[in-house]
Amino acid sequence: MSGPIGIANYAGRAFDIGFYAFLVFLAHISISLGALNLLPIPILDGGYLLQFAAEGIMRRDFSQAFLNVARALGMCCIILLMGVAIYNDLS
């Protein structure tokens, strides 16, 4: 797991190898970010898909208070994940 520093470092290495390697690296990063966005964390798209599926199964909407708490917890998860990635870059 790498943060922005690691990604920039790998991008520089890929560009040194050649432009095609750089494009492949960019495609890999794009696919990885798309997959990460589909995780069932409430603030990401996968979380919204999970919310809509759960609401459809239950046949009622979640309360606004529940959604606010879920989104706050999702934001905490994302911040924690970003912190771990940046820590890995710096160590």
Side-chain angles (χ1 to χ4, degrees), residues 47-68 70-71:
Y48 285 111
L49 292 174
L50 183 65
Q51 172 193 339
F52 297 147
E55 287 177 349
I57 291 170
M58 294 174 26
R59 296 186 186 264
R60 66 179 180 87
D61 292 343
F62 291 119
S63 68
Q64 193 62 38
F66 176 79
L67 292 176
N68 289 340
R71 289 181 185 132

Side-chain angles (χ1 to χ4, degrees), residues 1-8 10 83-91:
M1 179 185 306
S2 293
I5 298 169
I7 292 172
Y10 292 127
V84 168
I86 292 173
Y87 175 78
N88 283 342
D89 280 346
L90 297 177
S91 64

Side-chain angles (χ1 to χ4, degrees), residues 2-73:
S2 293
I5 298 169
I7 292 172
N9 186 18
Y10 292 127
R13 289 182 188 178
F15 193 75
D16 288 342
I17 293 171
F19 188 68
Y20 179 74
F22 181 68
L23 290 179
V24 169
F25 173 76
L26 289 180
H28 183 267
I29 291 294
S30 179
I31 291 169
S32 297
L33 286 174
L36 183 72
N37 195 28
L38 290 176
L39 288 175
I41 297 174
I43 202 154
L44 299 176
D45 289 340
Y48 285 111
L49 292 174
L50 183 65
Q51 172 193 339
F52 297 147
E55 287 177 349
I57 291 170
M58 294 174 26
R59 296 186 186 264
R60 66 179 180 87
D61 292 343
F62 291 119
S63 68
Q64 193 62 38
F66 176 79
L67 292 176
N68 289 340
V69 169
R71 289 181 185 132
L73 289 174

